[in-house]
Amino acid sequence: MEDNQTPSEQPKATPVMDVQPPRPQAPVSEPTSAPIVPDSSAPSEVSSEQVVEAPAEEAPATENDNVTDSADAPAPATAEPAAATPLVATPAAHQAHKAPVMAIVTALIVAIALAVVAVYAYMAQQNKDDKSTTTTTQQTTSKATVQDVDGTTKAIDQSLNQVNDSTDFDTNSLSDSSLSL
Amino acid sequence: MKSRIKIALSTGLLMPLFVVAPVLAVDGTDTTQTTTNTTTTEQTTDDKKTDAQKQAELIARLEKRKAELKTKLTAVEQKRLQTKCKGGQGSVKSLQAKINGTETSRNQVYTNLLDRLNNLQSKLDAKGANTAELKTEITTLQTKIAAFKTDLATYKQTVSDLAIMDCVADPTGFKATLEDARTQLKTVRDDGVAIKTYVNDTIKPTLTKIRATLDTTKTEESTKPTTTTGNN
């Protein structure tokens, strides 16, 4: 790339290549072997700059028409994907339409699963409560003792002493005399 | 992007409904059924009987009692009743209040009695005592108490008829109802006496026998550890 450049083009390129242009000229004016050593390092610098500058040239490609052929090359390359976009757009749009449907179906499945789990958990909890109630009732039934029998007999006596059939159901209450008949 | 946010928001709002709604639906089923059953029972007892129906039933009962009346009233007796029955109905109304009070207290006493006996029987079963005889006696007592309640309800109905009927227009019906009430009063009284007698003469001796069994078992249990200690 540097070999193709003429001395007249050098001032234009100075802002970009501020160090490299004087080095190729050195072998031409002084054919000594001493500058050869930096010359070996020069191509490496150039190559490194090309690698770095390559992406930068793609972006301003449309702005600078004075750039070399290599800079013009990426322009058609970017145009090709733009032309191909409409061809791919139909399945993409189809996918875009499918996405909400899939989301709704997924949400429904999750909702049904949650409902089933909630009902199952509720029923299981209720069964557990019933079992615990039964267990508690069974635990309260203790074994009878003599005191229990005595207590029951005493309570029965007290209950029966509360009622008096003679006064509660007095046959005189419906007699002719009591009704003034 | 906005539509996705909408979907996410709506899903987030609806998701708790899917969790809570089924649980509430399952929980509400039993409550609704209970409420419906209670309402239906109340309707069958109270609302279904209109005044006309009640009057028709009263007339039917009066006719039945008049048919069962053995001695027919003379014209003099009818006139005497027609002049005095209104005052008698006032006394019957005060008797109604007394019957209601007696019914409440009797129900409490008999319910308490059965609860205590059933509780003791459960404890005796847990102890391993022989409660077959006590179980049979409790069942018999329950039958006697049920008969008492039925007879008392019949007696209450008859006394109510006696209080509300048109005794001036139908003195024979009043006399027949009064005779019926007197018979039922004796029946209810006999039921009460029978319950008391059964408890005193049948159930209490059974309890005494069971107590003796428990006492023997307790003595045997208390002697066993002493023997074991002596051997060691």
Side-chain angles (χ1 to χ4, degrees), chain B residues 5-231:
Chain B
I5 292 168
K6 281 180 183 175
I7 290 168
L9 279 173
S10 57
T11 310
L13 288 171
L14 286 172
M15 202 66 79
L17 284 177
F18 281 101
V19 178
V20 175
V23 175
L24 289 176
V26 171
D27 190 33
T29 311
D30 295 335
T31 315
T32 312
Q33 284 176 349
T34 311
T35 311
T36 310
N37 290 337
T38 312
T39 313
T40 310
T41 312
E42 285 173 357
Q43 280 180 347
T44 50
T45 52
D46 295 331
D47 298 339
K48 274 191 175 180
K49 284 188 178 180
T50 59
D51 289 341
Q53 282 177 327
K54 286 176 183 176
Q55 188 64 27
E57 287 175 5
L58 174 63
I59 290 167
R61 285 195 296 270
L62 289 173
E63 290 301 321
K64 190 184 173 188
R65 285 168 193 150
K66 280 195 281 186
E68 289 171 354
L69 189 65
K70 291 170 184 174
T71 53
K72 300 291 177 183
L73 290 176
T74 61
V76 177
E77 285 174 333
Q78 283 188 10
K79 262 202 168 174
R80 186 172 56 84
L81 275 177
Q82 280 173 330
T83 53
K84 293 185 175 178
C85 70
K86 281 287 177 187
Q89 280 184 322
S91 301
V92 170
K93 280 177 184 171
S94 62
L95 179 64
Q96 272 186 298
K98 188 186 175 188
I99 293 168
N100 287 331
T102 304
E103 184 185 32
T104 307
S105 64
R106 289 280 171 147
N107 283 337
Q108 284 179 350
V109 167
Y110 292 151
T111 304
N112 186 31
L113 194 67
L114 286 172
D115 285 346
R116 286 186 180 279
L117 286 170
N118 283 320
N119 188 31
L120 179 65
Q121 185 232 305
S122 301
K123 285 183 177 179
L124 289 167
D125 282 338
K127 178 80 174 175
N130 184 12
T131 58
E133 191 179 359
L134 182 63
K135 280 179 188 174
T136 311
E137 289 171 359
I138 289 171
T139 309
T140 307
L141 180 65
Q142 284 174 331
T143 309
K144 287 181 181 295
I145 289 170
F148 170 83
K149 287 180 179 176
T150 308
D151 291 339
L152 181 60
T154 310
Y155 172 59
K156 268 181 71 179
Q157 181 66 67
T158 308
V159 171
S160 174
D161 292 347
L162 202 62
I164 62 169
M165 70 173 293
D166 188 357
C167 62
V168 178
D170 188 8
T172 308
F174 182 79
K175 178 67 177 174
T177 305
L178 181 60
E179 290 296 325
D180 211 7
R182 286 170 179 167
T183 308
Q184 288 165 2
L185 174 60
K186 282 182 184 175
T187 307
V188 174
R189 184 178 171 169
D190 290 345
D191 287 342
V193 171
I195 289 168
K196 202 170 187 177
T197 306
Y198 189 74
V199 171
N200 284 325
D201 296 350
T202 309
I203 293 179
K204 279 170 71 176
T206 306
L207 291 177
T208 308
K209 277 195 280 183
I210 291 170
R211 188 192 183 283
T213 312
L214 290 175
D215 214 13
T216 312
T217 313
K218 193 180 178 182
T219 311
E220 285 173 358
E221 283 175 356
S222 60
T223 51
K224 273 181 184 176
T226 313
T227 314
T228 311
T229 313
N231 288 336

